[in-house]
Amino acid sequence: MSRRVGRSPVGRGRGRALSALAAAMCAVAVPVVVVALPGVAAAQDSASYVFAQGAKTVQGAVTSTDAAELKAGETYRSSIEAGVKGTGLGSGSGAKGAVGTRYYRVALDGSSDTYVSAVAVPKAGADVKVAFNDSISVTLQDRQGNRCDSEVAAFRSAEYPRPIAATAERVVREGGGRCQDAGTYDVVVARKTAPDSTRERWDLELSVSSEPALKSPPATTGPGAWSSAAPRPPAGIPSERRGGTGFNDARSLRQGVWKDRIRPGQTLFYRVPLDWGQQLFAEAELGSSAGDAQRKGFVPSALNVALYNPARTPVTSKDASYGGEPSVAALDSLPPVAYENRYLSRADEAGVRFAGWYYLRVSLTPEMKGTFGNKESGLTLRLTVHGDAASAPTYVRDPGAFQVTDADRVAAESGFAQGGGSSLPSAGSRSGGRAGPGGSGRTNRMTVVGIAGIGTGSVLVLGLGVWTYVARRRAPAGR
């Protein structure tokens, strides 16, 4: 560049001055290129999972002896490798220390119900393969190895990488037997990997939430009859709200009709505040002519919708196939939120046991790409929150995540990614702040555009300055 400028008819001295100004322009222009490129990539690819802001990184131990402690109310980042080939999964007493199993520990009191959640985040991409039974499991056990509870989350028929979550619980009840005492308990996180699956390490997000005891002894049986009849889904013109990448930047929704766009292989998260005595009815619709309207075909289990409770425990899920016409995945009816639901025998009904944020995870299979093209498809969510809020049970202290606050209601109304203090430790948008209505962690693409615009404007101003400088220096030569 300097050589070209040096050959300018302006002359050597003027060329040096122009070189300095040109260098100043480049100094401004280069950051624009560096900042803008990630924005372009973000616009083309599905957003990565946004972990909780301020989450501590913890290393899972190979044995319980070296396990790191997880504290209630905290969220952690960790990771787990694949199981040993030929063994499927190292689980149980014979697998302690096996690759694919990691140990943590947690200190529990003798009165609170505790929930330990693990969100597994496999790397996304067309080259990543997961199988039907590939899974993540969480087990809570006492120091003698007695199992308190265990849960497994697998990919099942939707065999493509996406965040999956499992939660183990310790429920204190009269005559509950084991795992009722205060003390240190082991948390065992295990990963099952099929021989042909991609064996890259999975990221983990671990969280521990504590539900305080009630002031008065609770009922120890489930509630009576409840109506499973689903009301007519809400109608009207949908409002747009962009889904988040995970539990931490999930888009807040209230009752109504909402629309979004989803790409093959993408997973979107939303959340709805559900108070005591309320029922949630939810359905997700993939619009007609999704992707390329000129293509025809049929994709089984194209759309997957899953519901998680405030402790990130899987509650229920539903799939819907797609053949070019609108296809709906509607969640099964669940009872109204009640403390006594935890004593019901069905896991989905027992999952709606406390008030708070309930999370919807919506995923579109990558197989849609081969059949209908790699284009975004229209997504419509219809949510009904049935019933008035009932009185909350009387806890001995603030229930934290297990309540709906005024701030949560405001968040649901406005669409903020974060609500009030009732949610688990969570992140805002990728920029570290709260995303605005209609946005999400993905909205910082507009921030990139804004920064690029500012940089471009600065370059234009400098260019104008160079032009003026040259004109003025040439003027005497012309006289």
Side-chain angles (χ1 to χ4, degrees):
M1 179 182 293
S2 61
R3 290 181 60 188
R4 294 183 62 187
V5 173
R7 293 179 181 176
S8 170
V10 176
R12 183 177 297 178
R14 295 173 190 171
R16 290 173 181 170
L18 287 172
S19 297
L21 286 172
M25 291 176 65
C26 290
V28 176
V30 170
V32 175
V33 175
V34 172
V35 173
L37 284 176
V40 173
Q44 294 173 344
D45 300 330
S46 299
S48 299
Y49 185 92
V50 173
F51 287 86
Q53 188 176 17
K56 301 176 183 178
T57 299
V58 61
Q59 183 69 38
V62 176
T63 67
S64 59
T65 305
D66 302 318
E69 183 179 5
L70 308 178
K71 296 183 178 180
E74 299 286 344
T75 302
Y76 301 85
R77 287 194 65 167
S78 191
S79 63
I80 190 168
E81 56 271 65
V84 177
K85 283 189 176 182
T87 64
L89 169 66
S91 178
S93 59
K96 292 183 178 180
V99 176
T101 302
R102 286 294 175 261
Y103 286 82
Y104 309 86
R105 66 179 59 179
V106 61
L108 305 183
D109 61 26
S111 60
S112 302
D113 290 351
T114 303
Y115 306 88
V116 182
S117 170
V119 181
V121 185
K123 179 182 176 182
D127 58 335
V128 180
K129 181 181 179 180
V130 295
F132 184 92
N133 283 326
D134 283 3
S135 64
I136 195 76
S137 66
V138 184
T139 300
L140 188 64
Q141 60 188 36
D142 63 21
R143 302 300 286 176
Q144 288 72 46
N146 297 313
R147 178 177 296 185
C148 310
D149 185 48
S150 183
E151 185 175 53
V152 179
F155 293 98
R156 301 304 179 192
S157 58
E159 298 180 21
Y160 55 91
R162 63 191 184 279
I164 55 174
T167 302
E169 64 185 48
R170 192 285 300 264
V171 176
V172 178
R173 65 180 71 180
E174 185 176 353
R178 61 189 180 190
C179 301
Q180 301 293 293
D181 298 332
T184 300
Y185 289 76
D186 291 329
V187 177
V188 187
V189 179
R191 172 184 169 184
K192 180 178 180 179
T193 308
D196 295 333
S197 296
T198 304
R199 310 189 68 78
E200 288 188 42
R201 183 180 292 267
W202 289 355
D203 285 330
L204 294 176
E205 184 170 66
L206 307 171
S207 60
V208 181
S209 50
S210 178
E211 182 189 18
L214 301 183
K215 290 185 176 180
S216 300
T220 56
T221 58
W226 52 275
S227 175
S228 60
R232 179 177 299 178
I237 300 175
S239 299
E240 183 175 5
R241 287 196 182 171
R242 301 289 282 171
T245 66
F247 290 96
N248 305 296
D249 64 343
R251 178 62 45 212
S252 301
L253 303 177
R254 56 171 171 76
Q255 176 172 292
V257 186
W258 310 98
K259 66 178 180 179
D260 202 346
R261 307 288 295 178
I262 189 169
R263 186 178 294 277
Q266 189 174 26
T267 293
L268 301 174
F269 279 77
Y270 310 86
R271 63 178 192 168
V272 185
L274 204 58
D275 218 333
W276 299 101
Q278 293 183 326
Q279 284 176 283
L280 176 64
F281 297 90
E283 66 176 40
E285 177 186 303
L286 197 61
S288 61
S289 300
D292 189 345
Q294 302 302 317
R295 300 191 182 189
K296 303 296 181 182
F298 180 80
V299 180
S301 302
L303 190 68
N304 175 264
V305 182
L307 179 68
Y308 296 83
N309 70 20
R312 301 183 176 181
T313 304
V315 177
T316 187
S317 65
K318 186 69 68 173
D319 292 337
S321 300
Y322 188 78
E325 297 299 326
S327 182
V328 177
L331 297 180
D332 292 337
S333 298
L334 296 168
V337 174
Y339 187 92
E340 295 79 15
N341 286 345
R342 67 196 62 204
Y343 304 118
L344 295 173
S345 58
R346 283 183 47 171
D348 57 344
E349 296 178 355
V352 286
R353 64 180 65 182
F354 26 56
W357 287 106
Y358 281 74
Y359 298 86
L360 285 168
R361 188 203 69 201
V362 182
S363 302
L364 187 62
T365 176
E367 293 182 13
M368 285 285 291
K369 179 179 178 180
T371 306
F372 292 97
N374 189 25
K375 297 182 179 180
E376 288 187 330
S377 302
L379 175 68
T380 304
L381 300 174
R382 296 182 179 88
L383 307 178
T384 300
V385 178
H386 182 68
D388 297 326
S391 298
T394 306
Y395 289 102
V396 296
R397 56 177 171 82
D398 188 287
F402 308 117
Q403 61 182 320
V404 175
T405 67
D406 290 339
D408 294 332
R409 297 184 185 94
V410 170
E413 187 70 29
S414 61
F416 284 131
Q418 293 188 75
S422 69
S423 59
L424 286 168
S426 59
S429 65
R430 290 185 185 178
S431 59
R434 175 182 290 177
S440 74
R442 294 181 279 173
T443 58
N444 75 334
R445 298 174 195 165
M446 297 308 298
T447 304
V448 171
V449 173
I451 293 172
I454 293 171
T456 303
S458 300
V459 172
L460 292 175
V461 170
L462 279 175
L464 181 60
V466 171
W467 179 85
T468 303
Y469 174 84
V470 172
R472 289 180 178 177
R473 293 296 298 258
R474 284 180 173 174
R479 280 198 288 262

